[in-house]
Amino acid sequence: MNYFVPLSAYMMKRLFFSAVLSLSMTLLWAQTDVQPGHSETYCSDEARPWPLNLQWRLDSMMRDPLLDYTQLGLMVWDLTDDCSLFSFNHRQLLRPASTMKVLTAVTALDVLGTDYQFTTSLYYKGDIQGRTLVGDLFCVGGMDPAFSRDDLKAFAESLHQAGIDTISGRVVSDVSMKDTLKWGEGWCWDDQNPTLSPLLVDRKANFTSQLVNALAEKGIVVRNVTVGMGLLPRDAVLVSRRQRSIDHILQRMMKDSDNLYAESVYYQIAAREGSQAKALYAQRQQRALLERAGLLSSRYRLADGSGLSLYNYLSAEAETKVLRYAYLHKPVYEHLLPVLPVAGVDGTLKKRMKDTPAGGKVRAKTGTLTGIISLAGYCTSSNGHLLCFAIINQGVQSASEARGFQDRICTILCE
């Protein structure tokens, strides 16, 4: 096992545990200085009985046969006492899979603000003569992943209410909000990857043609229709704006682990830094968040916002400290906690940890890639302490086996 201490020290600790097993647990808690898991910072002496029991049980999990042939990064932090409870390979760089969305969500809430809105706008440039717009329509994309046919119908209705029943001009899509890359760095070509466009309708990149259809359904005629790409003129007139809150987007992003929603959030972050959103700009903001969380950001490899990329490398320590950062910044925490899946209740944890002490007490983001199963979030222990944790299993061939291992870890934390 790859502990962060010499093997001789590890063996001495094992011998020590064996020697005291015959003693009462009370005597063990009162006298021993051994700290299972080799955490960096330990809870105070006054709190020993509870954490020692938890640490001993977690330490026993490190002998699970799964770890004979796979990698594990694990860290548990007591937020109530603000100290590390347990760690195992906590600085090992591993692929986070969709727990990458935790970093994306926390960065977004911290940088964009909890009242941020995803916006798609409709403008026109030209003159309204009678009920005819002699000019062009401009659709300005803000990369709202939830934009749907209902929103298009609302755009058509807004034109109708403006007294327009005919358009003599072009229908132009302005997608200048981000660069032209349609996929993320390190995405597999044979996955069902989302298209990264600022203008989507029901997740499809056929915005202008869909808008023309919606106009026709409303009885608005587009003469000699020409659709294309372009930039919004400065003197264009706003017709309608469709907006969605960041809470609405994060709900599906985190509960259902929706990759398109995560990348949309990622590019909102990027757009704060430059006139055109690029992945590099989002990564800078994520690295700044890691630094604010007390980490050395240069240790990690960041490639996208969803965790689809095979180039992402984080550690259990990094994810745990990002969760701690969120907890310490109450507006961020208050908007993050409700969107995390609840064990045995909803989202990607709906079927996990039911009828266990962890059911309803664990709120965490799951992650799944070929060979990777991860879990990062919060839970409430039996003594009422709030914990945050990150578990990354890498090199696993059986996803169910790795999930079972993680569920047992969570059960220990909550018992």
Side-chain angles (χ1 to χ4, degrees):
M1 295 183 185
N2 186 21
Y3 286 92
F4 285 103
V5 293
L7 182 60
S8 57
Y10 167 79
M11 292 303 295
M12 290 176 65
K13 289 185 178 183
R14 288 291 179 219
L15 291 172
F16 179 79
F17 275 121
S18 297
V20 300
L21 280 176
S22 59
L23 300 177
S24 69
M25 188 60 71
T26 301
L27 183 61
L28 172 64
W29 291 332
Q31 296 180 358
T32 184
D33 287 326
V34 174
Q35 299 290 345
H38 317 290
S39 303
E40 290 183 300
T41 307
Y42 300 105
C43 296
S44 63
D45 290 346
E46 291 78 10
R48 273 189 172 178
W50 166 73
L52 250 177
N53 177 51
L54 181 146
Q55 290 162 349
W56 186 86
R57 294 181 67 192
L58 291 177
D59 198 62
S60 68
M61 287 289 294
M62 301 305 101
R63 297 190 296 274
D64 191 285
L66 176 67
L67 304 188
D68 290 341
Y69 54 92
T70 64
Q71 294 171 279
L72 170 69
L74 169 64
M75 190 170 198
V76 182
W77 194 276
D78 186 338
L79 292 167
T80 302
D81 286 343
D82 198 22
C83 60
S84 175
L85 282 176
F86 189 87
S87 58
F88 180 88
N89 287 345
H90 61 302
R91 289 181 176 159
Q92 180 81 46
L93 294 179
L94 302 168
R95 291 171 178 158
S98 280
T99 54
M100 188 75 180
K101 293 180 176 74
V102 171
L103 175 58
T104 302
V106 173
T107 303
L109 290 168
D110 200 47
V111 173
L112 302 176
T114 57
D115 58 352
Y116 185 80
Q117 299 284 321
F118 288 64
T119 304
T120 308
S121 303
L122 181 69
Y123 293 80
Y124 76 84
K125 178 176 172 58
D127 298 317
I128 299 177
Q129 300 175 4
R131 297 182 64 85
T132 299
L133 169 63
V134 181
D136 303 326
L137 283 180
F138 290 86
C139 311
V140 182
M143 207 162 182
D144 177 359
F147 196 93
S148 69
R149 282 277 299 173
D150 287 339
D151 294 295
L152 285 182
K153 291 177 181 178
F155 275 173
E157 177 62 26
S158 67
L159 287 169
H160 179 74
Q161 290 181 0
I164 298 172
D165 63 15
T166 304
I167 299 171
S168 180
R170 301 176 301 157
V171 179
V172 181
S173 293
D174 184 339
V175 292
S176 60
M177 177 256 188
K178 72 172 290 291
D179 59 26
T180 59
L181 296 177
K182 301 301 183 185
W183 282 9
E185 180 188 15
W187 288 10
C188 291
W189 65 269
D190 56 348
D191 281 345
Q192 293 182 343
N193 298 311
T195 300
L196 304 183
S197 170
L199 278 174
L200 299 172
V201 180
D202 294 325
R203 309 175 73 96
K204 296 179 181 178
N206 57 351
F207 191 97
T208 48
S209 60
Q210 289 266 45
L211 177 59
V212 170
N213 291 337
L215 294 175
E217 290 172 5
K218 191 61 182 176
I220 299 174
V221 177
V222 182
R223 291 178 179 171
N224 302 317
V225 60
T226 300
V227 299
M229 314 289 279
L231 297 176
L232 178 72
R234 291 185 178 180
D235 56 349
V237 178
L238 177 65
V239 178
S240 182
R241 179 173 287 146
R242 303 294 290 174
Q243 292 187 308
R244 241 166 299 268
S245 70
I246 192 170
D247 289 328
H248 181 97
I249 302 301
L250 290 179
Q251 182 81 9
R252 180 162 173 174
M253 167 183 162
M254 303 298 276
K255 292 283 190 185
D256 299 338
S257 200
D258 192 297
N259 295 318
L260 173 60
Y261 279 56
E263 295 301 327
S264 297
V265 172
Y266 185 66
Y267 280 97
Q268 306 297 321
I269 298 168
R272 300 288 282 197
E273 187 168 326
S275 57
Q276 188 177 66
K278 301 177 185 294
L280 175 62
Y281 301 158
Q283 290 158 19
R284 287 176 183 168
Q285 295 291 342
Q286 287 179 322
R287 290 189 183 280
L289 188 284
L290 291 171
E291 295 285 342
R292 293 195 293 275
L295 297 154
L296 184 61
S297 65
S298 60
R299 288 179 176 171
Y300 310 107
R301 179 74 161 84
L302 311 177
D304 68 7
S306 61
L308 273 175
S309 177
L310 299 180
Y311 299 162
N312 291 312
Y313 279 94
L314 286 176
S315 66
E317 177 189 44
E319 294 192 333
T320 301
K321 290 193 173 180
V322 167
L323 289 164
R324 174 180 177 268
Y325 178 88
Y327 174 75
L328 294 175
H329 294 77
K330 293 306 180 187
V332 174
Y333 179 70
E334 288 169 358
H335 287 257
L336 176 66
L337 191 66
V339 301
L340 290 171
V342 181
V345 176
D346 64 14
T348 54
L349 285 179
K350 185 175 183 178
K351 297 181 179 180
R352 292 176 60 177
M353 295 175 251
K354 282 188 174 183
D355 303 320
T356 75
K361 293 183 180 179
V362 171
R363 291 176 176 262
K365 182 70 199 74
T366 58
T368 304
L369 281 176
T370 301
I372 311 293
I373 299 295
S374 53
L375 188 68
Y378 303 96
C379 67
T380 305
S381 66
S382 60
N383 67 348
H385 281 215
L386 183 64
L387 314 178
C388 64
F389 64 90
I391 314 168
I392 306 176
N393 291 94
Q394 182 168 286
V396 297
Q397 295 188 30
S398 170
S400 61
E401 185 178 5
R403 291 188 183 107
F405 175 86
Q406 294 175 358
D407 292 354
R408 291 194 297 276
I409 292 285
C410 290
T411 298
I412 290 171
L413 296 181
C414 296
E415 281 182 335

